[in-house]
Amino acid sequence: MFFIVSMNNHHIELRHLRLLQAVAETGGLTAAAERLHLTQSAVSHQLKALEEALGLPLVERAVRPLQLSAAGRRLLALAHAALPLADAALRDLAKLKDGDAGELRIAVECHTCYDWLMPAMDRYRDVWPGVELDLLGGFQADPVGLLLDGRADLVITSEAAPRPGIFHAPLFGFEMLALLPPAHPLAARKWLAAGDFAGHTLITYPVPEDRLDLIRRVLAPAGIKPPRREAQLTVAILQLVASRRGLAALPAWAVAPYLERGYVAARGIGKHGLWAELYAAVRAADATRAYVADFIETVKRDSFARLPGIRPALSAA
């Protein structure tokens, strides 16, 4: 889709602007490719072709993290101005085609998701005022099953196991961090192994063990079963950790403000970190509805703009 005719009859397309925006926000071609769900070679080729067409370098390749050149920054300013207008126009066209009203009953699997989901919902309401949003509260043993039963229209879930009639849209990947008191002996480690949790109380939300990544993917395979203490609120979990009542594991985005204040310490789990992913699950028949698809894109866009330490999730279906 061409956006504007540039010098020498070459074109700057919306995809070019999205590419420069992704490079500026991620600081690298690999991360930008992941953000755009492209290969790094495709991104490099696209960027090089645009630079050759314009006759100007758009990035400073000798600088790490990657930075835009003066020409790149000028196009980035265009991207900031033009992409919201283009997205709004495409949204209006979708409304003309599919209608601008509907209902989204949203079930959320993770306790910490509300921190970033609520601002995204506010932004969505601004552009889809005719869509009624409703959050389903309480723990759900089978949240995706709510879609099949007709009790929910969208589920935020960490599982993307194939199920007939269900479409999983990837949102983002995030790191789970081990939390401990700042002066705890384990704080001297670069990262914690499964054995480091032995002999410590594990403070968690009140959910089954098979829904906790730390237990299911790290501790249980190692045969480690620490005692658990449950708390409903994130701040309560952090207070218990700070008071030396045990250790915890929470998403990096949920604890960033407390780490900045030195309230607790955080370490990675395992040599390569413990990463999880979130998906938006919807009925396959609803996946192409304009207001459903735009809600998912709004959540992704808002999350990457606001949440620290997230990365693109793997594709699902």
Side-chain angles (χ1 to χ4, degrees):
M1 178 180 178
F2 295 128
F3 183 77
I4 187 170
V5 179
S6 67
M7 61 184 68
N8 300 323
N9 292 322
H10 292 292
H11 298 85
I12 297 173
E13 303 177 25
L14 289 179
R15 63 190 178 99
H16 295 141
L17 300 182
R18 296 192 195 281
L19 169 60
L20 288 174
Q21 188 175 65
V23 170
E25 292 177 355
T26 63
L29 295 184
T30 300
E34 291 177 344
R35 172 83 65 89
L36 298 170
H37 301 292
L38 298 171
T39 64
Q40 182 178 350
S41 61
V43 166
S44 298
H45 176 76
Q46 190 177 127
L47 180 62
K48 183 178 180 180
L50 181 59
E51 288 179 321
E52 290 178 349
L54 297 176
L56 290 167
L58 298 176
V59 298
E60 303 287 352
R61 288 176 169 79
V63 179
R64 291 293 182 273
L66 207 64
Q67 295 182 8
L68 298 184
S69 66
R73 292 193 297 273
R74 180 61 186 89
L75 286 185
L76 179 63
L78 174 62
H80 289 330
L83 289 178
L85 293 175
D87 291 338
L90 293 174
R91 187 183 300 114
D92 289 341
L93 293 175
K95 290 178 181 179
L96 290 173
K97 179 182 177 183
D98 298 333
D100 61 357
E103 181 182 23
L104 269 179
R105 294 163 296 170
I106 304 167
V108 181
E109 182 184 78
C110 66
H111 286 65
T112 52
C113 290
Y114 293 101
D115 293 340
W116 54 262
L117 182 59
M118 299 299 285
M121 290 175 64
D122 290 340
R123 288 168 177 77
Y124 179 82
R125 286 190 186 94
D126 290 339
V127 295
W128 289 92
V131 176
E132 182 178 350
L133 298 178
D134 187 21
L135 280 173
L136 304 182
F139 171 76
Q140 307 290 340
D142 181 20
V144 176
L146 298 175
L147 299 172
L148 299 174
D149 294 341
R151 291 182 288 159
D153 304 299
L154 185 144
V155 173
I156 305 296
T157 177
S158 59
E159 297 291 338
R163 295 180 70 165
I166 299 298
F167 175 80
H168 291 85
L171 294 179
F172 55 83
F174 62 94
E175 186 175 12
M176 296 289 294
L177 296 177
L179 304 175
L180 53 156
H184 195 281
L186 290 175
R189 306 282 183 88
K190 292 184 178 180
W191 49 270
L192 302 189
D196 293 323
F197 290 87
H200 297 281
T201 298
L202 185 62
I203 304 168
T204 74
Y205 296 110
V207 299
E209 291 187 354
D210 62 0
R211 301 284 285 276
L212 295 171
D213 287 306
L214 175 62
I215 294 178
R216 178 170 55 88
R217 295 168 53 191
V218 178
L219 301 185
I224 296 171
K225 189 176 177 61
R228 285 178 62 190
R229 178 169 178 174
E230 297 178 347
Q232 289 277 358
L233 303 176
T234 301
V235 66
I237 292 177
L238 294 169
Q239 192 276 329
L240 289 169
V241 170
S243 300
R244 296 182 170 271
R245 304 297 179 87
L247 307 182
L250 291 174
W253 84 72
V255 299
Y258 303 93
L259 297 179
E260 291 173 359
R261 297 198 298 266
Y263 191 60
V264 294
R267 296 295 180 269
I269 301 171
K271 186 175 181 180
H272 302 291
L274 176 60
W275 286 80
E277 296 184 332
L278 285 178
Y279 301 86
V282 298
R283 288 180 290 271
D286 294 336
T288 57
R289 292 182 184 272
Y291 69 87
V292 174
D294 199 46
F295 180 84
I296 295 171
E297 287 304 310
T298 298
V299 167
K300 289 174 60 176
R301 186 166 53 248
D302 191 73
S303 298
F304 277 103
R306 297 177 58 251
L307 298 182
I310 66 174
R311 68 185 187 188
L314 298 175
S315 297

